[in-house]
Amino acid sequence: MADALTKSQSEIDRVLFDATEQQRTFDTNYGDAIYTLRRKIVHEVSVATAAGLVLGGLVGAIVGMRRR
């Protein structure tokens, strides 16, 4: 019976098991959330930058044509 856990040891074991299970659940649900969020932000910034450059070029071309 040396392998039997005392009451306090079994409580600690249960708490550690619950914490491990919560961490696994969190990792399963949100493990790649930071990577996905960063990728979306980079994509949105890239699209906004490209649109700004295109619009800026068009406005510059129109203003340049009017000054001739």
Side-chain angles (χ1 to χ4, degrees):
M1 283 291 155
D3 292 338
L5 298 176
T6 64
K7 183 178 178 181
S8 62
Q9 287 175 331
S10 64
E11 289 175 2
I12 291 173
D13 184 54
R14 189 168 18 99
V15 168
L16 289 175
F17 180 78
D18 290 343
T20 303
E21 190 60 33
Q22 288 176 358
Q23 183 64 39
R24 284 187 188 138
T25 302
F26 181 83
D27 286 344
T28 300
N29 293 336
Y30 305 107
D32 64 339
I34 292 174
Y35 172 75
T36 303
L37 182 62
R38 187 175 71 98
R39 187 172 35 133
K40 286 181 179 180
I41 290 172
V42 167
H43 179 262
E44 294 295 325
V45 167
S46 300
V47 169
T49 302
L53 288 172
V54 168
L55 290 175
L58 288 173
V59 169
I62 292 170
V63 169
M65 292 171 90
R66 286 189 174 189
R67 288 193 176 182
R68 284 187 174 186

